[in-house]
Amino acid sequence: MKRMRSAAAGVAVAAVLGLATGCVSSSSGSGGGSSASSDGTNWATTTSAQAGGGMDALVAAAKKEGTLNVIALPPDWANYGAIIKGFGDKYGIKVESTNPEGSSQDEINAVKQLGTQDRAPDVLDLGQAFANGNTDLFAPYQVASFADIPAGNKDASGAWVNDYGGFISIGCNTTLVPVCPTTIADLAKPDYAGKVAINGDPTQAAAGFASVWAAALAKGGSLDDIQPGVDYFGSLSKSGNLLKIDPTPATIESGQTPIVLDWDYTNVAQAEKVKASFTWQVTVPSDGLFAQYYAQAINKNAPHPAAARLWQEYLYSDEGQNLFLAGKARPIRLDQMEAAGTATPALVAALPKVEGEPQFPTQAQTDKAKQVVATGWATATS
């Protein structure tokens, strides 16, 4: 369940990792410099398919390049294995996937260190803080469905765009826990002594950090005040309810971690894995509603700039968004697709129900929360 990418998911990662600086390579690959197609279109600087002559022209240029370099995309995370295969099969483009368990910082480091080399990443899938802090590395691009995406979920120029995400949820083994918690407040009940785990140290993992923020919202805090969340987990630690075990599929299957706070798409995927043995109930708590999204970006030095742009078009198409949905993640265009009838109903029905509107922290709120958790978590939960 815990992966390297989990330490870099969403806005909250700035609160725990900061934005480290890598070294820029001056190596001599072809990079984005040889990106002009036969009709003179320079795909390295083209900001939409329409501006480059339309989708047919983009497809032709991408097929000519023949390769797409992706990084830090685990095949079992948000259905990326199927997405990569689907893109490759549809367009006949070879997808080179490197460091699938890497973090967002690894992605940024690769962009900086590989410079214009042919093996540099073409595209990036980043935690929001890394997208916000590195826009100078990205090529602005607006996919055909750009207008569908809310203003708060994209850079105005298309330097980055949210693609999929989820809510903090409570997963629970109904065999070991006869009455599962459905709210953050429930976790303090004596019945859950020695049963509650969160996915990762909040000073290192975004899922863990988001769980603290969800607890803050449930216990009188706000996006401006995460301290009640730290205090609440401190109380769970003192009561013995909080487990000092990092949950994994193995600990869930063995019963070591019968209650887990994690992203809903991770918990729902876990439910599918164990359904033959027991029921893993997944609930999005209404008292601590907290959601985050990943962001897509194109490397401005992408060695395959047309393929990079075609990949973006694929991800934000109905086909690509439904593939995220099949991975139990919530695609950014879900509301529009449901309204248009293009979201697969069975996949939508599999998602945990959500009551209320999620809250999204600003960068300033995240930076403030960073200091609170970094300085107070260990003492509160010791």
Side-chain angles (χ1 to χ4, degrees), residues 227 230-231 233-235 237-238 375-382:
Q227 185 62 52
V230 176
D231 294 341
F233 277 106
S235 69
S237 178
K238 290 178 175 60
T375 58
W377 178 257
T379 299
T381 59
S382 61

Side-chain angles (χ1 to χ4, degrees), residues 15 27 50 95 107 119 193 197 238 254 291 295:
S27 52
Q50 183 178 7
V95 181
E107 296 182 65
R119 59 195 182 95
K238 290 178 175 60
S254 70

Side-chain angles (χ1 to χ4, degrees), residues 298-381:
I298 297 172
N299 179 4
K300 70 178 182 181
N301 289 320
H304 311 102
R309 285 155 176 78
L310 186 59
W311 171 256
Q312 303 294 304
E313 295 287 357
Y314 183 73
L315 293 185
Y316 292 97
S317 69
D318 289 348
E319 181 178 351
Q321 294 279 284
N322 271 312
L323 284 170
F324 281 131
L325 191 56
K328 316 305 180 186
R330 297 173 191 266
I332 193 63
R333 293 183 52 238
L334 181 58
D335 289 347
Q336 292 80 5
M337 289 171 62
E338 284 193 274
T342 57
T344 304
L347 298 178
V348 176
L351 298 175
K353 302 303 179 186
V354 174
E355 296 179 6
E357 292 295 325
Q359 301 186 56
F360 298 93
T362 65
Q363 192 64 47
Q365 289 169 325
T366 300
D367 290 342
K368 179 181 176 182
K370 156 183 155 178
Q371 298 302 323
V372 174
V373 175
T375 58
W377 178 257
T379 299
T381 59

Side-chain angles (χ1 to χ4, degrees), residues 150-226:
N153 295 108
K154 62 189 177 186
D155 174 78
S157 72
W160 59 262
V161 183
N162 289 148
D163 48 359
Y164 66 91
F167 290 80
I168 283 297
S169 67
I170 302 170
C172 175
N173 184 329
T174 61
T175 299
L176 300 178
V177 185
V179 180
C180 287
T182 59
T183 66
I184 298 292
D186 283 345
L187 300 176
K189 292 179 178 179
D191 291 350
Y192 305 133
K195 291 183 170 64
V196 181
I198 62 174
N199 186 14
D201 182 336
T203 67
Q204 300 179 33
F209 186 91
S211 296
V212 177
W213 225 331
L217 298 178
K219 303 304 291 184
S222 67
L223 296 184
D224 290 309
D225 182 15
I226 200 172

